[in-house]
C-alpha cells in the first residue's frame, strides 16, 4: 500500500496533484470502515495527519477558524467553542463514542458528506464557511453549498478542506437547541439531528430564527420556509403549528432500516415545537 | 477460502461457469461431487445439505467453495463464477408458509408440531367471567458473539481430519463430519471461543464440513473466518414467532383456561427447530397453574437461512407472549397485573400443563415478592402515574414479568445424550477435569474446577481443565441449555467422589496438599492417570413420556422476577431504561459473581431484543447485517441493575445448583412492554418496541398521522 505523508499544506497539494487518485486520510474513522468492506483496496493514501497548520482552533477577525484536522474531542472541550458555539460542542460530544471523538476530525466529517453528519446542523445555523485549498488557490464556501448529495461534496478533484470558519453571532440568542436522535445511547447514526437558534424582540416577537435538520434529506437543510414564516411573529401555538407544518417544504425524510419517514418528521416537529414553545 | 452463494431465496441452479480470464490454477474449488459421503450437515435430521444440490432454499446457501493461498485472490476468484439459475417466488413469512404459497416441506410446510392438553379448555371457557385474546410477535435476533464463526482444518499423515475453531459442541461437529467423510478418523478441537449464545451450536458443523472438504481436496491446511457481515447474514438467528393466546379467567382473575397457539419460523431447513419449539411449547403457559390448557405449536419452513439455538431456546418467545398477555388482560378487565400473577403463580404441589407436579424448589412467589419489595413497585407505579399526568420531559413506566426456565435438555434429552465426563489424578499430582464442555466466557472452567476442588477438598490451583478435544475428552454433550453446572457438574462430582474413595483406599486418606498429591501421583499413576469417568444417571423419580408429551418436562425450574423502570422521552419517544431489578432463584450460586454476570448479561441482551434489535429481512436475506444498523445495546445503554440472588436448593444439582445461563433472557421483554404501557398507554405486542412504534401509536391516539 502506498502511503503519502506530507508535512505541510504545500507538500500535500503537490503530492495530491501527482497522485490524483489518492485518498485523503485524516482520522480514518470513515475510511477504515470502507477499507474493511474491501471497497478501497489498492488506492494510495494521502495521510494528512502530520500537517500541523491544520490542527487546532485559532482566532480570526470576527470569528474562529477551526483547522480541518481538529478532532471532535478538541471541539467538544474547547472553552471558546463552548462559549461561542455551544451547539457545535454539543454536536461533537454526540458523535459516535469517546474513541471516535478522539480520532474523527471536523474536516473528515464534512468531506464524508453523510446525510447524518452530526456536526452539520450546528454548522448550518452558525453559517459556517468551509475554506478549501488546491493548487489553483483557496475557496471560501458557504456551509450549505458544500454538499451536492449523499456522500457528495462541492470539492473538486485534488482539493482539500483546510479549515472551517465560524463567524461570531451578532447577538446572544434568546434560546438555542441541539438534539440528536439516534438508534441508541452511543455509536448511533442519527435518525434526525437538529440545531436551532432564536432571537426575540423586546415584545416577544421572533426577530430571527434559524433551524437546521440532518438525516431528513440527502443533505443537511435549513428550514427556509419555517424561518421566513416565523420572522416577526409571536410564537403562539398556532404559529408554531404552522411552522411545524412547513417542515416538508425543506426536508423529505424517508423510510429506511433505521427509521420511518413518519417518525423522523414527527420527532423533528416535536423538537421544533418544544424549542419555540417553552 | 470463501463460500459462494447466489443471493436468491428459492430456485434451481442451471449452470455453473468459471470465467476463464481468472487465474484458476492456484485456486482449489470444491463442489458437491467432491463430497465423499453424504451431502448433509446432520443435526436432528440430515435435511440440510453441505453444498446446495442443484437447488437453493435460501439466499445464503453455499453452492461452491473456493480456497486460495492469497485472501484477496479468493474474493476475486469468487467474483468470476457465473451461476445461471431459475428463481421461484420464495416463501418469506410465517403467513406465506402457512398459506402454502410454495411447498418447501412435506404437504404443509410444517417441520414439527406439538400438542399439550390438560383438562378441557372448552369447560374452562364456560366457567370464565372474562375471556381475553391477544397476538404477540417476536423478531429474529442475532447472537452478536465476540468473534464471528471461523474454522480451520487439516489432514494428518494417517488420513485423519482435524478441525479446530470457535464452537460450543465439539462432538456435534464430529458427528456431522462422520457422515460427510465416512470411515475417516475425525478429531475436533475447540479454539478459544468468545461467546456463542447458541450461535455456535449447529453452524460450526457446516463450516467444519466446508474447511475439511477443501483441506482434503487441496491437501493443505484451510481456514475460513467469516467477517461480521457474512456471519450475520449466513448464520442462525433466534426463531421469529407468532403466539396467540385465548385466556379464560374468573371474576377475580383466577385462570380457568389457557388456549395457546404458537408458530415459529424455522427457516429453510429443520436443523434444531423441533427442540427449540419443544422448549417454547413447554414454557408457553408461564409459571402459572391453570386447570385447563391447550398448547398447539408448529415450526414452519420459509426461504430464509435456518433459525437456530439462541439463549432461552424458544422460551423467551412464548414467555414474552404469556407475560405481555397479562397487560392485555389488565387492559380489558381492569384487574391489576401484579395481583393476577399472585393469584395464579405456581407453588409447591402445582401441576403444569404436562401433568408434572412441582415437588421442590419452587420460587415463583418468593422471586416475585422480593423483587416487588426491592423495587418498591407499588409506590413507584403510583408516583409514575402522577408524573405522567403533569407536563415534563418524559413519561415514566414500571413493568413486571415473572418467568421460569427448565435447565438441562428437555424431556428424555439428557437420557438420550448419556453424557460422560471424567476426573483424573495425574502423575504430576494435578487433578484434571475431562469434558467436552466448552468455555466461551461464561466461566464453566471456573465452576467445574470449583465443584471438583470442593468435592476433593482441594485448593482450586490443583485442578486443571483439559481443552475440549475429541481425542482427549469424553463426550459430555453440548454446552447449551443451561446444563453445564447442573448436569456436568453433577457427573464430575460423582466421578470426584470415586477418585477420592479410590485414593483414600490406597493411601488411607485423600491428600489435600500439593505435596501430598504429588506423592500420590507418583505412587498411583505410574502406568497413567487414575481416571474416573461417569455417565449421566437419570433420577428415577423424574419421568417423561415423549410419545404422550406428558410428565416431568424438566427436573426442576429456575424462577426470575424482573421489574423494569424506564422513561419515554415525550419529544422523541426514545426509551431509556433507568433501572432494572431482578430476583432470581439459581438453587445455589456456586460462583456468585459469575451468576450475576449471567443475569446482568442476559438482561441487557433481553433488553436489546425488546427495544432496539431490528433484523430487517429483504427477499429472505438480512439487509442490515452490520453493527451500525443492527443495533445491540452498548454499555451506555445498560441500566443500573439490582441483582438479587435467591438460593432455593435443588437436591439433585451439585451443591443445590440449578442452571442459570438462559433464564435471565426470558424476562426483560415483557416487562419492557408493561412499563411502556404505563408510560404511554400503548400496549405494543410486537418486538422490538421501537420509538417509531410508540410515535405511530401516539399519533393514532391523537387521531393524526403525518
Ligand atoms: C463507530 C463509528 C461511529 C461513528 N459515529 C458518528 C456519529 O455519531 N456522527 C457522525 O457524524 N459521524 C460518525 N462517524 C463517522 C466519522 O467518525 C466522522 O464522520 C468523522 O468526523 C470522520 O473524520 P475522520 O477524520 O475520521 O475522517 P476520515 O475517515 O479520515 O475521512 C473521511 C472522508 O473525508 C475525506 N477527507 C478527510 N479529510 C479531508 C480533508 N481535509 N479534505 C478533504 N477530504 C478529506 C476522506 O478522503 C474520506 O473520504 C462514526 C464512525 C464510526 C466508525
Amino acid at each position: 500500500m502506498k502511503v503519502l505523508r506530507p508535512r505541510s499544506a504545500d507538500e500535500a497539494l503537490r503530492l495530491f496533484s501527482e497522485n490524483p487518485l489518492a485518498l485523503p486520510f485524516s482520522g480514518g474513522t470513515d475510511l477504515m470502515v470502507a477499507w474493511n468492506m474491501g471497497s478501497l483496496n489498492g488506492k494510495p493514501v494521502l495521510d494528512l495527519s502530520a500537517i500541523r497548520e491544520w490542527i487546532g482552533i485559532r482566532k480570526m477577525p470576527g470569528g474562529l477558524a477551526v483547522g480541518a484536522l481538529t478532532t471532535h474531542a478538541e471541539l467538544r472541550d474547547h472553552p471558546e467553542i463552548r462559549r461561542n458555539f455551544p451547539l457545535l460542542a454539543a454536536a461533537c460530544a454526540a458523535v459516535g463514542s469517546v474513541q471516535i471523538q478522539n480520532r474523527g476530525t471536523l474536516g473528515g466529517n464534512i468531506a464524508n458528506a453523510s446525510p447524518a453528519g452530526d456536526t452539520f446542523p450546528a454548522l448550518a445555523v452558525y453559517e459556517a464557511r468551509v475554506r478549501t485549498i488546491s493548487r489553483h488557490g483557496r475557496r471560501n464556501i458557504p456551509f450549505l453549498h458544500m454538499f451536492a448529495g449523499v456522500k457528495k461534496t462541492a470539492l473538486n478533484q485534488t482539493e482539500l478542506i483546510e479549515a472551517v470558519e465560524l463567524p461570531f453571532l451578532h447577538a446572544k440568542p434568546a434560546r438555542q437547541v441541539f438534539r440528536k436522535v439516534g438508534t441508541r445511547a452511543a455509536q448511533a447514526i442519527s435518525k434526525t439531528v437538529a440545531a436551532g437558534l432564536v432571537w426575540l424582540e423586546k415584545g416577544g416577537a421572533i426577530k430571527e430564527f434559524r433551524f437546521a435538520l440532518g438525516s431528513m434529506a440527502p443533505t443537511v437543510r435549513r428550514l427556509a420556509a419555517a424561518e421566513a414564516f416565523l420572522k416577526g411573529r409571536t410564537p403562539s401555538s398556532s404559529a408554531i403549528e404552522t411552522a411545524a407544518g412547513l417542515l416538508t417544504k425543506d426536508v423529505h425524510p424517508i423510510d429506511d432500516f433505521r427509521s420511518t419517514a413518519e417518525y423522523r418528521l414527527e420527532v423533528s416537529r416535536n423538537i421544533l415545537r418544544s424549542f419555540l414553545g417553552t | 477460502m470463501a463460500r459462494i452463494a447466489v443471493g436468491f431465496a428459492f430456485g434451481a441452479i442451471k449452470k455453473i461457469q468459471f470465467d476463464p480470464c481468472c487465474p484458476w490454477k492456484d485456486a482449489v474449488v470444491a463442489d458437491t461431487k467432491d463430497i465423499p459421503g453424504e451431502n448433509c450437515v446432520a443435526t436432528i435430521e440430515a435435511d440440510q445439505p453441505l453444498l446446495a444440490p442443484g437447488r437453493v432454499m435460501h439466499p445464503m446457501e453455499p453452492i461452491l467453495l473456493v480456497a486460495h493461498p492469497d485472501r484477496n485472490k479468493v474474493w476475486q476468484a469468487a467474483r468470476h463464477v457465473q451461476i445461471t439459475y431459475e428463481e421461484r417466488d420464495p416463501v418469506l413469512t410465517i403467513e406465506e408458509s402457512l398459506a402454502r404459497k410454495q411447498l418447501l416441506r412435506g404437504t404443509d410446510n410444517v417441520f414439527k408440531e406439538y400438542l399439550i392438553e390438560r383438562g378441557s379448555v372448552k369447560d374452562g371457557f364456560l366457567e370464565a367471567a372474562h375471556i381475553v385474546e391477544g397476538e404477540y410477535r417476536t423478531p429474529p435476533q442475532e447472537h452478536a458473539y465476540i468473534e464471528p464463526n471461523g474454522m480451520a482444518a487439516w489432514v494428518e499423515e494417517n488420513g485423519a481430519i482435524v478441525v479446530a475453531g470457535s464452537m460450543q459442541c465439539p462432538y456435534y461437529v464430529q458427528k456431522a463430519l462422520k457422515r460427510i467423510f465416512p470411515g475417516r478418523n475425525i478429531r475436533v478441537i475447540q479454539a478459544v471461543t468468545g461467546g456463542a449464545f447458541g450461535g455456535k451450536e449447529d453452524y460450526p458443523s457446516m463450516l467444519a464440513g466446508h474447511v475439511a472438504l477443501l483441506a482434503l481436496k487441496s491437501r493443505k491446511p484451510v481456514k475460513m473466518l467469516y467477517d461480521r457481515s457474512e456471519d450475520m447474514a449466513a448464520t442462525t438467528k433466534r426463531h421469529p414467532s407468532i403466539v396467540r393466546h385465548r385466556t379464560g379467567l374468573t371474576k377475580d382473575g383466577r385462570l380457568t383456561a389457557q388456549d395457546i397457539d404458537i408458530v415459529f419460523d424455522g427457516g429453510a431447513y429443520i436443523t434444531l427447530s423441533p427442540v427449540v419449539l419443544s422448549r417454547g411449547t413447554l414454557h408457553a403457559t408461564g409459571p402459572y397453574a391453570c386447570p385447563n390448557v391447550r398448547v398447539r405449536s408448529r415450526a414452519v419452513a420459509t426461504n430464509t437461512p435456518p433459525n437456530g439455538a439462541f439463549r432461552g431456546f424458544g422460551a423467551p418467545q412464548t414467555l414474552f407472549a404469556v407475560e405481555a398477555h397479562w397487560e392485555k388482560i389488565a387492559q380489558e378487565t381492569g384487574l391489576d397485573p401484579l395481583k393476577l400473577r399472585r393469584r395464579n403463580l405456581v407453588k409447591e404441589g402445582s401441576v403444569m400443563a404436562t401433568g408434572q407436579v412441582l415437588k421442590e424448589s419452587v420460587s415463583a412467589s418468593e422471586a416475585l415478592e422480593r423483587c416487588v419489595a426491592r423495587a418498591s413497585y407499588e409506590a413507584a407505579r403510583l408516583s409514575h402515574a402522577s408524573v405522567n399526568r403533569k407536563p415534563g420531559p418524559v413519561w415514566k413506566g414500571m413493568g413486571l414479568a415473572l418467568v421460569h426456565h427448565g435447565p438441562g435438555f428437555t424431556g428424555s434429552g439428557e437420557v438420550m445424550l448419556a453424557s460422560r465426563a471424567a476426573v483424573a489424578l495425574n502423575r504430576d499430582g494435578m487433578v484434571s477435569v475431562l469434558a467436552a464442555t466448552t468455555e466461551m466466557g461464561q466461566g464453566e472452567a471456573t465452576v467445574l474446577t470449583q465443584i471438583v476442588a470442593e468435592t476433593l477438598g482441594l485448593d482450586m490451583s490443583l485442578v486443571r481443565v483439559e481443552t475440549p478435544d475429541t481425542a482427549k475428552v469424553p463426550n459430555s454433550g453440548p454446552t447449551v441449555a443451561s446444563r453445564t453446572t447442573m448436569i456436568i457438574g453433577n457427573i464430575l462430582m460423582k466421578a470426584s467422589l470415586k477418585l477420592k474413595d479410590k485414593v483414600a483406599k490406597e493411601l488411607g486418606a485423600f491428600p489435600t496438599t500439593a505435596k501430598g498429591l504429588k506423592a500420590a501421583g507418583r505412587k498411583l499413576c505410574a502406568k497413567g492417570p487414575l481416571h474416573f469417568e461417569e455417565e449421566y444417571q437419570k433420577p428415577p423419580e423424574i419421568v417423561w413420556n415423549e410419545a404422550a408429551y406428558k410428565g416431568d418436562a424438566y427436573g426442576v425450574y429456575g424462577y426470575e422476577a424482573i421489574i423494569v423502570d424506564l422513561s419515554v422521552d415525550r419529544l422523541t419517544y426514545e426509551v431509556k431504561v433507568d433501572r432494572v431489578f431482578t430476583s432470581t432463584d439459581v438453587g445455589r450460586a456456586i460462583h456468585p459473581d459469575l451468576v450475576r454476570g449471567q443475569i446482568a448479561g442476559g438482561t441487557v441482551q433481553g433488553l436489546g431484543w425488546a427495544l432496539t434489535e431490528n433484523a430487517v429481512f429483504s427477499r429472505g436475506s438480512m439487509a442490515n447485517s452490520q453493527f451500525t444498523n443492527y443495533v445491540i445495546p452498548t454499555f451506555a445503554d445498560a441500566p443500573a441493575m439490582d441483582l438479587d440472588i435467591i438460593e432455593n436448593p435443588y437436591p439433585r444439582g451439585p451443591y443445590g445448583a440449578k442452571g442459570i445461563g438462559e433464564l435471565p433472557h426470558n424476562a426483560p421483554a415483557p416487562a419492557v412492554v408493561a412499563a411502556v404501557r404505563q408510560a404511554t398507554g400503548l400496549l405494543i405486542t410486537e418486538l422490538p418496541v421501537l420509538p417509531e412504534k410508540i410515535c405511530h401509536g401516539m399519533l393514532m391516539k391523537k387521531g393524526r398521522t403525518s
Side-chain angles (χ1 to χ4, degrees):
Chain A
M1 186 200 252
K2 184 166 167 188
V3 179
L4 309 162
R5 196 147 198 271
R7 303 259 152 201
S8 68
D10 284 347
E11 194 188 353
L13 295 179
R14 182 176 54 77
L15 289 171
F16 204 7
S17 61
E18 288 163 16
N19 299 273
L21 291 180
L23 285 167
F25 180 108
S26 291
T29 55
D30 275 311
L31 287 175
M32 299 299 273
V33 177
W35 259 304
N36 190 43
M37 297 192 319
S39 51
L40 303 177
N41 287 338
K43 291 199 181 172
V45 172
L46 182 67
D47 176 5
L48 305 176
S49 61
I51 307 176
R52 305 284 305 259
E53 348 155 20
W54 290 4
I55 303 176
I57 296 151
R58 291 179 188 85
K59 291 228 164 81
M60 60 168 211
L64 298 177
V66 179
L69 294 170
T70 309
T71 63
H72 296 294
E74 283 173 79
L75 285 158
R76 178 195 67 201
D77 296 338
H78 197 278
E80 289 292 312
I81 297 288
R82 291 169 72 104
R83 184 158 46 241
N84 296 295
F85 305 101
L87 304 181
L88 180 60
C92 292
V95 168
S97 59
V98 171
Q99 298 92 320
I100 295 294
Q101 290 161 24
N102 285 342
R103 275 206 72 80
T105 65
L106 190 62
N109 199 220
I110 296 168
N112 194 52
S114 152
D118 279 326
T119 61
F120 301 173
L123 293 172
V125 296
Y126 287 134
E127 303 189 335
R129 299 175 77 87
V130 181
R131 202 159 74 212
T132 67
I133 186 164
S134 73
R135 294 206 106 187
H136 310 292
R138 289 200 162 87
R139 291 201 291 161
N140 205 287
I141 305 172
F143 187 68
L144 290 178
H145 295 175
M146 262 312 281
F147 303 109
V150 176
K151 298 250 162 191
K152 285 200 193 82
T153 64
L155 290 174
N156 297 320
Q157 214 188 13
T158 75
E159 188 174 25
L160 293 167
I161 298 175
E162 179 184 28
V164 176
E165 297 181 358
L166 293 166
F168 290 132
L169 296 176
H170 50 79
K172 201 171 153 28
R175 280 202 298 275
Q176 51 198 339
V177 66
F178 169 80
R179 187 77 197 247
K180 167 174 175 166
V181 184
T183 50
R184 64 187 151 204
Q187 308 291 36
I189 297 184
S190 290
K191 296 172 177 177
T192 177
V193 50
L197 297 168
V198 67
W199 290 265
L200 300 177
E201 306 277 10
K202 280 217 179 66
I206 291 175
K207 192 169 167 188
E208 189 181 352
F209 171 59
R210 298 182 192 169
F211 205 89
L213 289 170
S215 284
M216 295 286 287
T219 63
V220 63
R221 291 291 158 83
R222 280 275 292 270
L223 300 182
E227 289 181 5
F229 171 79
L230 285 170
K231 196 177 168 101
R233 280 180 212 265
T234 313
S236 64
S237 53
S238 76
I240 295 171
E241 237 7 82
T242 307
L246 287 172
L247 243 67
T248 44
K249 294 270 182 218
D250 292 290
V251 294
H252 320 282
I254 55 164
D255 286 342
D256 62 15
F257 48 57
R258 278 197 281 277
S259 192
T260 61
E262 176 187 74
Y263 176 83
R264 290 178 155 119
L265 197 57
E266 180 63 10
V267 167
S268 302
R269 283 179 169 153
N270 284 348
I271 294 168
L272 180 100
R273 286 177 184 125
S274 110
F275 177 54
L276 292 170
T278 47
Chain B
M1 66 173 275
R3 84 196 208 317
I4 295 174
V6 282
F8 69 90
F10 184 37
I13 301 162
K14 290 287 166 205
K15 202 161 77 189
I16 300 176
Q17 281 165 297
F18 296 89
D19 192 339
C21 77
C22 177
W24 288 102
K25 69 174 186 5
D26 295 329
V28 175
V29 179
D31 63 19
T32 53
K33 292 189 289 298
D34 295 304
I35 301 172
E38 291 173 70
N39 180 10
C40 71
V41 184
T43 43
I44 290 171
E45 282 183 24
D47 68 329
Q48 178 167 225
L50 184 65
L51 292 172
R55 62 143 174 63
V56 164
M57 295 293 284
H58 68 81
M60 298 306 288
E61 185 145 26
I63 296 170
L64 288 175
L65 304 167
V66 186
H68 195 288
D70 180 337
R71 182 175 184 259
N72 280 327
K73 296 256 168 62
V74 98
W75 294 114
Q76 241 176 31
R79 278 194 293 272
H80 285 92
V81 181
Q82 270 144 32
I83 298 174
T84 320
Y85 54 87
E86 205 174 272
E87 194 171 354
R88 292 172 63 193
D89 197 13
V91 176
L92 298 175
T93 61
I94 286 176
E95 286 86 350
E96 287 179 1
S97 181
L98 288 173
R100 299 171 210 189
K101 182 178 174 193
Q102 302 270 5
L103 274 185
L104 308 180
R105 164 94 182 184
T107 54
D108 55 4
N109 284 338
V110 174
F111 283 129
K112 184 74 189 178
E113 58 190 312
Y114 297 102
L115 179 66
I116 304 178
E117 281 188 295
R118 172 167 191 245
S120 152
V121 283
K122 203 165 146 241
D123 294 351
F125 285 123
L126 286 175
E127 215 187 297
H130 307 285
I131 297 178
V132 181
E133 295 184 33
E135 183 184 289
Y136 305 90
R137 287 169 183 253
T138 65
Q141 186 181 20
E142 162 58 29
H143 306 83
Y145 27 64
I146 294 176
E147 79 285 348
N149 271 287
M151 202 71 67
W154 61 93
V155 182
E156 307 257 288
E157 264 169 36
N158 63 8
I161 294 174
V162 186
V163 299
S166 182
M167 67 178 78
Q168 290 175 254
C169 315
Y171 277 93
Y172 276 9
V173 174
Q174 192 193 46
K175 181 176 155 201
L177 293 189
K178 279 183 170 165
R179 292 180 69 163
I180 302 167
F181 306 100
R184 261 186 204 270
N185 214 332
I186 310 269
R187 178 175 172 195
V188 181
I189 305 166
Q190 184 218 2
V192 172
T193 301
F197 308 107
K200 292 167 186 172
E201 180 167 346
D202 68 331
Y203 203 84
S205 301
M206 164 83 80
L207 211 50
H210 289 166
V211 281
L213 194 59
L214 278 171
L216 201 61
K217 189 160 183 189
S218 67
R219 291 278 154 183
K220 292 202 176 92
V222 173
K223 167 169 95 171
M224 175 142 78
L225 306 174
Y226 282 2
D227 74 3
R228 183 64 64 179
S229 178
E230 180 168 27
D231 184 280
M232 276 198 191
T235 71
T236 60
K237 301 273 168 296
R238 180 184 297 291
H239 288 68
S241 75
I242 301 175
V243 180
R244 291 192 188 86
H245 273 258
R246 185 160 187 261
T247 306
L249 303 111
T250 60
K251 220 163 163 239
D252 60 355
R254 196 170 40 76
L255 287 169
T256 62
Q258 284 178 297
D259 194 359
I260 306 169
D261 181 76
I262 302 165
V263 194
F264 281 6
D265 176 350
Y269 296 107
I270 193 165
T271 62
L272 295 166
S273 289
V275 276
V276 173
L277 182 68
S278 165
R279 184 175 283 276
T281 307
L282 290 163
H283 285 79
T285 60
Y288 304 103
C290 176
N292 306 296
V293 181
R294 179 168 61 196
V295 187
R296 181 189 180 216
S297 65
R298 286 166 293 174
V300 299
T302 59
N303 293 115
T304 57
N307 293 305
F310 194 138
R311 196 176 204 168
F313 213 68
Q317 290 95 314
T318 58
L319 283 165
F320 169 69
V322 66
E323 286 299 290
H325 192 54
W326 286 124
E327 292 298 311
K328 185 83 187 281
I329 292 168
Q331 192 174 51
E332 292 197 3
T333 64
L335 294 167
D336 173 67
L338 172 58
K339 291 196 185 115
L340 282 164
R341 287 181 175 88
R342 281 180 174 149
R343 183 142 301 152
N344 291 292
L345 51 73
V346 289
K347 306 187 181 76
E348 228 161 81
S350 292
V351 184
M352 305 294 275
T354 57
Q356 173 170 18
V357 181
L358 299 177
K359 296 186 206 86
E360 66 212 338
S361 193
V362 183
S363 315
S365 173
E366 192 181 350
L368 182 65
E369 299 308 335
R370 277 168 69 149
C371 202
V372 163
R374 290 171 82 104
S376 307
Y377 172 82
E378 289 169 292
R381 291 263 297 184
L382 284 175
S383 104
H384 287 1
S386 84
V387 166
N388 293 343
R389 279 190 295 270
K390 292 179 215 131
V394 297
W395 297 293
K396 306 252 330 147
M398 190 178 256
L400 165 74
L402 177 67
V403 298
H404 63 321
H405 198 88
F409 261 38
T410 301
S412 339
E414 291 295 344
V415 174
M416 264 135 59
L417 278 176
S419 298
R420 306 179 72 83
V423 293
L425 175 65
N426 298 288
R427 226 177 114 76
D428 64 359
M430 291 288 287
V431 173
S432 42
V433 175
L434 299 142
T437 305
T438 51
E439 177 60 64
M440 41 197 161
Q442 83 279 42
E444 65 86 36
T446 306
V447 167
L448 297 185
T449 301
Q450 272 184 290
I451 290 171
V452 169
E454 178 80 17
T455 309
L456 295 174
L458 296 179
D459 189 87
M460 281 173 69
S461 63
L462 300 171
V463 179
R464 67 173 173 233
V465 178
E466 186 58 77
T467 308
D469 171 345
T470 56
K472 292 186 186 164
V473 298
N475 184 357
S476 59
T479 309
V480 303
S482 313
R483 64 189 289 275
T484 295
T485 303
M486 192 175 97
I487 305 280
I488 312 309
N490 225 6
I491 299 173
L492 288 169
M493 197 169 137
K494 278 194 217 144
S496 301
L497 286 173
K498 292 216 166 139
L499 173 66
K500 195 174 177 180
D501 272 5
K502 171 77 180 167
V503 173
K505 231 177 246 146
E506 299 284 335
L507 304 176
F510 187 86
T512 54
T513 61
K515 226 173 119 195
L517 268 184
K518 253 195 189 128
R522 271 197 305 274
K523 202 158 186 183
L524 303 176
C525 310
K527 292 206 197 86
L530 201 56
H531 186 267
F532 285 89
E533 187 166 313
E534 285 293 304
E535 188 174 306
Y536 171 77
Q537 295 300 329
K538 180 181 83 70
E541 60 278 20
I542 297 177
V543 181
W544 172 252
N545 180 339
E546 182 72 38
Y549 216 60
K550 288 228 176 305
D552 300 322
Y554 302 92
V556 71
Y557 296 87
Y559 299 86
E560 179 173 287
I562 190 169
I563 288 171
V564 170
D565 193 14
L566 54 75
S567 313
V568 179
D569 191 291
R570 294 192 196 191
L571 298 182
T572 66
Y573 316 107
E574 289 168 292
V575 177
K576 180 172 175 292
V577 180
D578 299 310
R579 293 181 304 167
V580 170
F581 300 83
T582 55
S583 289
T584 312
D585 172 25
V586 306
R588 175 78 189 270
I590 303 258
H591 194 302
D593 277 343
L594 287 176
V595 168
R596 276 190 281 271
Q598 288 296 313
I599 299 170
T603 299
V604 175
Q605 202 167 32
L607 289 173
W609 187 50
L611 285 166
T612 57
E613 292 181 37
N614 189 27
V616 181
F617 276 73
S618 147
R619 303 286 295 170
S621 55
M622 190 176 176
N624 54 344
S625 64
Q626 327 93 9
F627 280 143
T628 318
N629 295 318
Y630 180 78
V631 180
I632 63 169
T634 66
F635 267 100
D637 297 277
M641 286 186 232
D642 176 77
L643 310 173
D644 169 33
I645 297 177
I646 301 171
E647 295 188 305
N648 189 349
Y650 171 50
R652 280 169 285 276
Y655 302 100
K658 326 185 209 184
I660 178 62
E662 295 168 289
L663 174 61
H665 201 308
N666 293 350
V672 164
V673 163
V676 168
R677 178 172 166 247
Q678 186 189 19
T680 63
L682 301 170
L683 176 57
I684 295 177
T685 53
E686 179 171 8
L687 298 180
V689 183
L690 295 170
E692 283 75 6
K693 289 182 192 164
I694 300 175
C695 176
H696 186 72
M698 296 312 263
L699 286 172
M700 300 290 278
K701 262 214 291 200
K702 287 191 221 152
R704 152 167 95 77
T705 46
S706 36

